Amino acid sequence: MKNPAIIFVTLSVAIFVFCAAFLKNPPAPRFHPVERVWSMPDNPSAGPAMGWYGRTGVALGAAMVVSGISLAVLSYVNRKKPFTLKATSIYALTAAILLCLAVSMVGIVREQRNWFTKKPAVHTPDHEY
Amino acid sequence: MQSLPFEPISKALLFLHLAAAFVALGSCVHLLARFTYALRGAYFPQVKLHARILAISYTVVFVLGGLIYPTFRIRVRHDYLDAALPWATGLFEIKELGASIALIPAIGVWLLVRLIDFRASEHRPYIFACMIFAGAVLTVLVYNAWAGWYLGTLRSI
């Protein structure tokens, strides 16, 4: 694979799909580190859960499947006629990727806003200073 | 006390996580500087080396962070931050989710740089695209380095 246009479009597809799946946050397995078990959100196990592994794994899986299809299609097209992108298309796609990454980061920050407004538990010292 | 996955070696993993993060930060800054020069017409063969180092070191940081996470989730987040300093949990969540978002761009720079002819004018838009990818990765790396250091001053594993 020597054509940067194919890799660039495939990477763009991977980033768009990953960000969309990551923000959508579909039901994914959660890991319970104390019990060392996995569970689905609709059938939760006891104890603190970690959703990051499942969320990242599902988004990465979706990105790999769709970008793999994109790579196969573009490679096929490239064999018939060399696949190229105009400079304006590359700049436009780059701007779209930047926007996608920025929107994803804003979405992540918004997701976590409850942690910044939550009042901490009252701490009662067990001795006087 | 029941041991968590990778807890006995979590401090060693945390040190390697920090070391790999420094490598990733350094290579990303170098890469951005090289791309800036490349857009002005200068070419440095080290660009491909820096891109490879960034992709490998970022992946190592990402995997090691994933291995340390169960210990942090219980011993630090669950036992202390969630109740006493909920805003610190928010800082950490942004750190871990941001790290996932920047994974594909970090590896993507390397995949793309391998195919760019830095002397060909028609490849200049790809250099610009790589610069944007590296800039996004650097933004996440700088925030994560700061958040990791700051959370470590509150409580660590």
Side-chain angles (χ1 to χ4, degrees):
Chain A
M1 191 66 59
K2 299 282 184 190
N3 188 341
I6 295 177
I7 295 298
F8 180 61
V9 172
T10 303
L11 277 173
S12 307
V13 169
I15 290 172
F16 290 137
V17 173
F18 181 89
C19 289
F22 202 70
L23 284 185
K24 177 82 176 150
N25 196 7
R30 291 166 178 264
F31 180 60
H32 297 260
V34 178
E35 296 79 14
R36 300 186 185 220
V37 293
W38 290 84
S39 73
M40 289 302 288
D42 56 357
N43 185 23
S45 188
M50 302 167 67
W52 179 75
Y53 297 118
R55 186 176 182 178
T56 304
V58 166
L60 270 180
M64 284 175 73
V65 168
V66 179
S67 60
I69 294 168
S70 159
L71 183 65
V73 170
L74 291 175
S75 301
Y76 177 76
V77 170
N78 189 52
R79 275 198 293 274
K80 304 232 166 194
K81 182 187 168 194
F83 177 75
T84 55
L85 286 173
K86 287 180 183 170
T88 48
S89 306
I90 299 169
Y91 287 126
L93 207 46
T94 304
I97 291 169
L98 185 61
L99 186 66
C100 174
L101 293 173
V103 167
S104 302
M105 288 310 296
V106 171
I108 283 170
V109 173
R110 281 176 59 85
E111 237 179 62
Q112 305 304 325
R113 64 183 182 275
N114 287 345
W115 288 112
F116 296 99
T117 53
K118 189 178 170 187
K119 285 197 179 353
V122 176
H123 173 62
T124 312
D126 55 0
H127 60 275
E128 295 290 330
Y129 289 101
Chain B
M1 198 187 315
Q2 193 179 353
S3 175
L4 300 163
F6 300 103
E7 189 175 15
I9 55 167
S10 59
K11 284 191 191 301
L13 294 177
L14 182 63
F15 174 75
L16 295 173
H17 180 67
L18 173 75
F22 277 126
V23 174
L25 264 169
S27 60
C28 199
V29 170
H30 275 81
L31 199 53
L32 265 176
R34 302 288 191 228
F35 286 142
T36 309
Y37 289 126
L39 280 178
R40 293 180 194 158
Y43 170 62
F44 296 91
Q46 299 95 328
V47 170
K48 294 180 183 181
L49 176 67
H50 287 310
R52 194 188 314 150
I53 292 172
L54 173 64
I56 293 170
S57 58
Y58 193 93
T59 307
V60 169
V61 173
F62 190 81
V63 171
L64 289 175
L67 297 181
I68 299 163
Y69 190 24
T71 308
F72 182 88
R73 175 70 180 86
I74 301 301
R75 304 290 180 230
V76 180
R77 218 193 106 176
H78 177 263
D79 292 352
Y80 180 59
L81 298 184
D82 284 0
L85 303 169
W87 53 267
T89 294
L91 288 182
F92 174 75
E93 287 286 303
I94 294 169
K95 173 182 183 288
E96 62 160 354
L97 299 174
S100 295
I101 293 286
L103 179 63
I104 295 179
I107 297 171
V109 171
W110 175 47
L111 295 176
L112 198 52
V113 157
R114 291 182 314 135
L115 305 175
I116 292 176
D117 180 358
F118 282 83
R119 293 182 185 87
S121 61
E122 66 268 23
H123 279 192
R124 285 170 71 88
Y126 291 118
I127 299 173
F128 179 74
C130 284
M131 216 172 139
I132 295 295
F133 281 18
V137 173
L138 183 63
T139 306
V140 169
L141 279 171
V142 167
Y143 172 78
N144 285 7
W146 172 79
W149 162 78
Y150 186 64
L151 292 170
T153 64
L154 301 174
R155 180 175 287 192
S156 191
I157 57 175

